[in-house]
């Protein structure tokens, strides 16, 4: 699991003389370090690990840390935020890259931006092992991460369960990874959406996306019940307006798309195939005018919950009812 979602270079030996972990996703950066440390300690249980912030690596410090030892011990030297190293220290590191010491693994964590790019280029030039640790800003990336976590742990989870986990937990990769580990430890067999609902929303109806699903299906009473339960269990109102907006936009995108297989439409619209099937079922009562009306109602509610109104709960209720009515616009 340590290497999940990290794309490594061809030199995929954690004990390579130099590893560069590039990106801004803290969980993946930490895993890159853990992978090297675990490999080193498997080779030598007495491995000495030095984990340094950039300001702790001063000119001359690296030479001290990598000088030959009387005990010839294996050592891992980790430098975090290497892009922030001083110019003189970068000169030291570049010189070291040209002649790395035996039994020592240097791990440089670098944000990957323009700052300190010369150090990154120098490490790549000498063939350093590279681990990509990009920040996952897109929901699709986080969904792929969750799938990968289940796969690495040798367990099966349905697409709907993976999506529900992302919807419930949010963007924090550490929390997502922890949730996957908990589910794998506690649940036997395939992990489905109902299991995720029981664990992470108290009951399946509590999810903001359940509110949206019931609303876009025209089931106003059930949507309002789900809304009240969600608010009572601490779901942020802004998450509910976001889910409503996504649900209505999905209806609009699919209704204006050309017909085709779910796999083809998934590529065209940027949705997973299973969601195409779900949205097709939800869109039966919708008209183009209904989509426009619903989007306006959700936008008004969004402004209300972000401080533009006195009663966020009432704003959400109005939006849910408006969306549910719009879902029946084709049927009059």
């Amino acid at each position: 699991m340590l290497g999940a979602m990290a794309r490594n270079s061809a030199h995929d030996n954690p004990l390579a003389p130099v590893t560069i972990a590039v990106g801004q996703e803290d969980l993946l950066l930490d895993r890159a370090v853990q992978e090297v440390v675990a490999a080193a300690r498997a080779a030598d249980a007495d491995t000495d690990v030095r984990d340094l912030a950039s300001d702790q690596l001063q000119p001359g410090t690296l030479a001290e840390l990598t000088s030959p030892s009387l005990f010839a011990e294996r050592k891992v030297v980790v430098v975090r935020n290497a892009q922030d190293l001083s110019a003189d220290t970068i000169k030291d590191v570049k010189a070291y890259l040209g002649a790395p010491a035996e039994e020592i693994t240097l791990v440089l964590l670098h944000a990957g931006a323009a700052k300190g790019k010369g150090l990154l280029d120098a490490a790549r030039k000498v063939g350093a092992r590279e681990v990509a640790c990009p920040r996952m800003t897109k929901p699709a990336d986080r969904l792929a991460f969750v799938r990968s976590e289940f796969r690495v742990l040798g367990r099966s989870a349905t697409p709907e369960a993976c999506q529900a986990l992302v919807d419930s937990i949010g963007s924090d990769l550490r929390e997502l990874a922890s949730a996957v580990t908990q589910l794998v430890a506690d649940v036997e067999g395939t992990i489905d959406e109902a299991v995720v609902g029981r664990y992470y929303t108290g009951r399946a109806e509590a999810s903001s996306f359940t509110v949206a699903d019931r609303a876009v299906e025209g089931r106003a009473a059930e949507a309002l019940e789900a809304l009240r339960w969600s608010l009572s269990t601490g779901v942020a109102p802004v998450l509910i307006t976001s889910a409503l907006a996504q649900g209505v936009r999905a209806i609009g995108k699919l209704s204006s798309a050309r017909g085709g297989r779910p796999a083809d439409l998934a590529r065209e619209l940027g949705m997973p195939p299973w969601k195409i099937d779900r949205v097709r079922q939800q869109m039966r009562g919708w008209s183009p005018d209904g989509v426009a009306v619903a989007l306006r109602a959700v936008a008004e509610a969004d402004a209300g919950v972000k401080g533009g109104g006195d009663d966020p709960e009432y704003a959400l209720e109005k939006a849910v009812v408006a969306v549910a009515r719009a879902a029946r616009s084709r049927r009059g």
Side-chain angles (χ1 to χ4, degrees):
M1 184 164 147
L2 292 177
M5 292 302 293
R7 296 178 182 175
N8 297 346
S9 68
H11 307 289
D12 198 20
N13 175 13
L15 295 181
V18 181
T19 287
I20 49 174
V22 184
Q24 299 178 47
E25 188 59 69
D26 289 341
L27 173 65
L28 300 185
L29 290 167
D30 284 346
R31 285 184 174 184
V33 172
Q34 292 165 21
E35 186 176 29
V36 171
V37 170
R41 286 185 169 154
D44 180 353
D46 294 325
T47 293
D48 181 21
V49 178
R50 303 294 180 91
D51 196 326
L52 307 174
S54 57
D55 60 359
Q56 293 177 290
L57 197 70
Q58 299 296 322
T61 306
L62 185 61
E64 294 175 14
L65 292 173
T66 58
S67 59
S69 166
L70 289 175
F71 304 102
E73 63 184 353
R74 181 178 290 279
K75 187 179 292 184
V76 175
V77 178
V78 180
V79 180
R80 296 181 182 271
N81 296 310
Q83 73 278 357
D84 295 332
L85 291 171
S86 69
D88 287 339
T89 302
I90 287 176
K91 287 179 184 178
D92 282 358
V93 177
K94 286 183 177 179
Y96 176 83
L97 293 176
E102 291 186 13
E103 300 297 308
I104 292 178
T105 299
L106 175 64
V107 184
L108 301 174
L109 275 55
H110 194 291
K115 185 179 183 182
K117 187 173 183 296
L119 177 59
L120 201 55
D121 292 341
R124 286 169 172 159
K125 189 173 181 179
V126 299
R129 171 179 176 263
E130 182 168 346
V131 182
C133 305
R135 179 158 288 166
M136 296 185 186
T137 57
K138 298 179 181 178
D141 292 338
R142 294 192 287 273
L143 184 59
F145 172 80
V146 167
R147 288 172 176 164
S148 174
E149 293 289 287
F150 280 118
R151 185 167 56 250
V152 169
L153 292 175
R155 292 295 298 278
S156 176
T158 66
E160 293 86 351
C162 294
Q163 184 67 57
L165 200 57
V166 173
D167 293 343
S168 299
I169 301 296
S171 60
D172 190 311
L173 248 59
R174 292 186 189 279
E175 291 187 16
L176 285 169
S178 176
V180 169
T181 302
Q182 181 180 17
L183 288 168
V184 166
D186 291 357
V187 179
E188 295 183 1
T190 298
I191 294 161
D192 60 19
E193 187 178 14
V195 168
V196 173
R198 287 199 302 274
Y199 267 74
Y200 294 104
T201 60
R203 111 184 205 195
E205 292 88 339
S207 164
S208 57
F209 281 86
T210 301
V211 177
D213 283 340
R214 298 296 84 80
V216 299
E217 290 161 5
R219 295 154 66 178
E222 293 176 42
L224 288 170
E225 179 188 0
L227 170 65
R228 288 161 190 153
W229 185 271
S230 295
L231 294 173
S232 72
T233 55
V235 175
V238 68
L239 294 180
I240 298 172
T241 56
S242 175
L244 285 167
Q246 289 183 49
V248 176
R249 288 194 195 105
I251 298 287
K253 286 167 70 174
L254 190 56
S255 63
S256 62
R258 297 184 301 274
R261 297 178 304 167
D264 296 332
L265 286 169
R267 283 191 294 272
E268 180 183 341
L269 301 178
M271 300 180 195
W274 66 264
K275 189 168 184 179
I276 296 290
D277 290 333
R278 174 180 288 181
V279 176
R280 271 180 168 164
Q281 294 173 355
Q282 293 174 334
M283 64 185 281
R284 290 171 184 161
W286 285 84
S287 68
D289 287 344
V291 170
V293 168
L295 285 175
R296 283 197 297 273
V298 174
E300 290 174 5
D302 192 53
V305 302
K306 289 177 179 176
D310 296 329
D311 191 342
E313 185 171 339
Y314 176 64
L316 284 170
E317 289 181 357
K318 278 182 62 180
V320 164
V321 171
V323 171
R325 285 176 178 165
R328 299 191 296 273
S329 56
R330 189 181 296 278
R331 296 192 292 267

